[in-house]
Amino acid sequence: MASLKFRFMLSRSSFTNAILHIIVIYSFLVTSILCQKSGHLVPPEISDSDDNGLLEPTVFIAVLARNKAHTLPYFLTLIDELDYPKSRIAIWIKSDHNEDATPDILRAWEKEVAEWGKYHSVSVQITDSPPFKQDDQGESPVVWTPKRFRLVIRLKEEAIRLARKFWADYIWFLDADALIVNNQTLKHLVNKSKPLVAPMLLSGGMYSNFWGGIENYYYVRTEEYKEILEYKKTGCFPVPLINSAVLMDIRRKEVPSFERFNETIPEDDMILFAENAKRLNMTMEICNDLEYGYITAPIDDTSTLQRDYDQVNILRTEVASYWSKPLEALYYLKKYLPQDIRPSTIGFDKIYLINLHRRPDRLMKMHNVLQILGMEYELVDAVDGSELKQEDLDRMGIKQLPEYRDPYSDRPMKFGEIGCFLSHYKIWKMMVKNRVNTALILEDDIHFEPYFVYQIQRLFEEAAKLFLDWDLMYLGRKRSANAKEPFVEGSQYIVHVDYSYWTLGYGLTYRGAKKLIDAKPLEKLVPVDEYFPIMFDRHNNASWMTSYETRDLKAFSAEPLLLYPTHYTNEQGYISDTEKSQIVLLNQNCTIKDEL
């Protein structure tokens, strides 16, 4: 029986080698195109003046910050990176009742930008603590109380008055946890010339900064909400409520206020603003025509600030997964960032990351994500199918299973599929040679679910408690449509696995690696994601299975899954290094030679 020992160690040599590899390719990556998981590209830069030679409209950015030390270094850095003339921007920040380093961060930032003198004006007003809490707040620093709502409403009304006094054309209400990653956002929104508009912000889940429906003043999720959130339709859409990054044109005679004109309306700044806009027949619009940025998901009133910190790390992994660079902080704000988790193998003996040498973009993104998650990995150079030739396969004695045909396109294997198999095979050989008891094997085009490290440790702790006898544990895969996968008896997180596709990421034991090698798969080769179901005796093609006499791999799967692809087939930004390779016609009369 395989058991996992949970330990936390740092192997300096493998981690240092990975860092050196990263440094070599960094200069290439900083110029790459920014894109996120929906594949919507950042627009070309827009010139600082329009075709009429007019200056950009003036924008008054209003920010309210309380206990946001974990987001402010990133938030303020992203504001500084906006591609919009700083002389046309006034920034007004109010902060009160803090229990963290928010005042220190704001003062450091204010001092620095005052010395630059780039912005039209900057005003940072901090109500020093104590008192750290309003008198109706209770124990939780994140709770929203009636007094807090009333204070926010008063401050936002003050912001509108000041913006008009500054002769601003627009006011942009920005929450301090709205991370505007796309530096073209403000310019892009202003050019839309809409009275009330917000960029759609992602959270890593189903939450976003707009409502699809409203009933009795409260949120209702609609089908259109999901369509917009999942980019099934793109553009700018009228919605009943937008928040967190609302741009309002204040050149109009009348603009929405936060007046509670009806006592039945909840005393909530977002709802009051939406109802006042509706009263003026002003349409709120949410735009998802581009990828704009991220927002932390709300947490319940009993939570601690630590839960909010965790939300920021989720967003950091999202940005690192899909954009050309991770979230960063201005040099003088870096000292306020929490220390990253010390890298470890999170309980496995080894974590292997497979990467094609010609895909440094994927390596950089995976390195950044794994660093945020605190995962120490060993880089494994993938076998590049595009460089394989027929004579290479003949020399290694690789034979395709004669009966194999791709289930969808009725073709033999492609060189890329062979390269993919050999990359995984290389790791199995390493495990057996070095007596690696347990390993986590990751491909380089994967997306980690929120709280990945916590969830994977919980999963294998449960496996140990149940004395689960496992060889292979899927963490990410494509289930077959009619799969029958009951939970393991006594388990909440592990299922018996049926026929599956993909090898995004999986746990493997020494015994499992040895079984996969001992079956001599190079003599009757199929793609690696077809090989696994054959070996655990759940493939739906019986004739393929009969070519492998011993099919006793003990396979299971995480439920829910913890890994998904970064992009799906036919999605913009999707690139398959296996599918675009050439089809192979293999010589079936070769002698097997072990060159891996």
Side-chain angles (χ1 to χ4, degrees), residues 28-163:
F28 166 80
L29 289 168
V30 294
T31 59
S32 63
I33 293 175
L34 298 177
C35 65
Q36 218 263 351
K37 62 184 170 187
S38 72
H40 296 281
L41 299 182
V42 172
E45 291 190 0
I46 306 167
S47 63
D48 287 345
S49 58
D50 62 24
D51 293 337
N52 297 320
L54 299 176
L55 292 170
E56 297 282 355
T58 52
V59 180
F60 186 96
I61 298 178
V63 181
L64 305 181
R66 179 189 288 189
N67 292 323
K68 292 299 177 183
H70 50 295
T71 63
L72 278 173
Y74 303 120
F75 172 85
L76 295 169
T77 300
L78 292 169
I79 294 299
D80 182 66
E81 291 177 351
L82 285 171
D83 181 23
Y84 200 90
K86 290 180 170 49
S87 62
R88 310 294 289 170
I89 295 176
I91 301 179
W92 177 84
I93 301 176
K94 282 269 197 174
S95 183
D96 64 273
H97 297 93
N98 294 290
E99 300 178 42
D100 63 7
T102 292
D104 297 332
I105 295 170
L106 291 175
R107 289 190 179 104
W109 176 80
E110 182 185 28
K111 179 183 177 184
E112 194 73 23
V113 296
E115 292 176 1
W116 297 344
K118 295 179 182 178
Y119 291 101
H120 175 273
S121 63
V122 172
S123 174
V124 177
Q125 301 171 33
I126 301 169
T127 302
D128 279 318
S129 302
F132 297 108
K133 298 177 181 178
Q134 291 177 285
D135 56 21
D136 65 341
Q137 187 172 330
E139 293 300 317
S140 173
V142 300
V143 67
W144 279 83
T145 65
K147 284 192 175 181
R148 184 174 183 182
F149 275 115
R150 286 195 287 271
L151 176 61
V152 166
I153 290 167
R154 180 174 62 79
L155 293 175
K156 288 187 174 181
E157 291 276 23
E158 180 184 345
I160 295 174
R161 288 194 300 272
L162 281 172

Side-chain angles (χ1 to χ4, degrees), residues 459 472-477 479 485 487-488 491 493-498 500 555-561:
L459 181 147
L472 172 76
M473 184 73 72
Y474 281 103
L475 301 175
R477 63 194 172 99
R479 303 176 181 91
E485 300 184 332
F487 276 91
V488 169
S491 172
Y493 312 113
I494 305 170
V495 295
H496 295 278
V497 67
D498 209 333
S500 302
F556 302 89
S557 175
E559 182 59 40
L561 295 173

